[in-house]
Amino acid sequence: MRRRAILGYGAAGVGAVALMLFVGWWQVDGPGGPEPVGQRPVALTEMDFRLTDHEGNAVGPETLIGRPTMAFFGFTYCPDVCPTTLSDISGWLDDLGDEADEMNVVFITVDPERDTVETMAEYVGYFHPGIRGWTGPEEQIARVADGFHATYERLPTESGDYTMNHSASVFLFAASGRFVTMIDYHEPREFAVPKIRRALEEEMEGAT
């Protein structure tokens, strides 16, 4: 009897420690933690860039003001991270239902040399219809990435071609253009969707 009690207390203690570690991770490094100030994107209202969407329309930061925004950097030749994340985004938008219509969702290329307007149009067509593809001159892509504090670099491959290494997080902004938070690569849907709703709720609060 005494042995069972000791084992029971031990299991409870391990469970309590695990819970504390999880809470600590959530608040510091996990989805509930704040982004380091130096890594936060500036507000959309402070950005200045000119790109073209996959339908040939001129777009810039002002295109995103007025509705919450979800943005992701990548490229159409991306073997895994980009299609995986865009599939995740498509699932999140499905979960939001009609609320998804209230958002801007943009996929911004970091490989404008290959990702033309036509290429972007074909690529985003494989995912949720709410996702817009943006491309443009290399110097303008650099300006966008700088405002978002996103990183990317061109890497040579053994075949003599090249690939791109880039930030894999999804950026969320309120309708006002204020940065809200980021969704990490492969973040579970039960964490990602509430983050998106935070951006949507800020829009509703600002309208009241």
Side-chain angles (χ1 to χ4, degrees), residues 19 30 179 187:
L19 178 60
F179 172 66
E187 188 162 324

Side-chain angles (χ1 to χ4, degrees), residues 110-132:
V110 294
D111 184 17
E113 181 177 324
R114 294 184 292 195
D115 289 345
T116 63
V117 169
E118 294 76 17
T119 301
M120 293 292 278
E122 179 181 359
Y123 190 73
V124 297
Y126 293 114
F127 304 100
H128 192 282
I131 300 173
R132 315 288 297 174

Side-chain angles (χ1 to χ4, degrees), residues 22 24-35 182 184 187 191 195:
F22 175 79
W25 167 80
W26 174 277
Q27 293 177 337
V28 177
D29 296 317
E35 292 76 21
M182 288 190 288
D184 295 329
E187 188 162 324
F191 297 155
K195 287 185 174 183

Side-chain angles (χ1 to χ4, degrees), residues 29-174:
D29 296 317
E35 292 76 21
V37 174
Q39 297 177 14
R40 293 179 183 173
V42 301
L44 293 171
T45 51
E46 298 176 25
M47 297 188 197
D48 182 20
F49 60 83
R50 291 292 172 266
L51 298 177
T52 305
D53 73 10
H54 70 271
E55 294 182 336
N57 302 305
V59 293
E62 70 281 354
T63 308
L64 305 175
I65 304 298
R67 298 201 299 174
T69 293
M70 179 163 29
F72 172 68
F73 289 83
F75 62 114
T76 64
Y77 283 73
C78 183
D80 44 35
V81 173
C82 302
T84 297
T85 300
L86 289 171
S87 295
D88 286 344
I89 290 173
S90 296
W92 303 338
L93 294 174
D94 285 339
D95 282 355
L96 291 171
D98 292 341
E99 290 180 287
D101 297 334
E102 305 301 317
M103 296 199 74
N104 300 305
V105 186
V106 293
F107 170 57
I108 305 170
T109 185
V110 294
D111 184 17
E113 181 177 324
R114 294 184 292 195
D115 289 345
T116 63
V117 169
E118 294 76 17
T119 301
M120 293 292 278
E122 179 181 359
Y123 190 73
V124 297
Y126 293 114
F127 304 100
H128 192 282
I131 300 173
R132 315 288 297 174
W134 287 14
T135 187
E138 205 160 310
E139 67 273 13
Q140 293 297 318
I141 297 295
R143 290 175 72 109
V144 185
D146 185 58
F148 277 78
H149 287 185
T151 60
Y152 66 95
E153 62 177 331
R154 179 168 168 161
L155 301 173
T157 62
E158 293 181 358
S159 65
D161 204 348
Y162 71 91
T163 188
M164 302 296 295
N165 188 23
H166 60 89
S167 299
S169 295
V170 176
F171 299 85
L172 286 169
F173 293 82

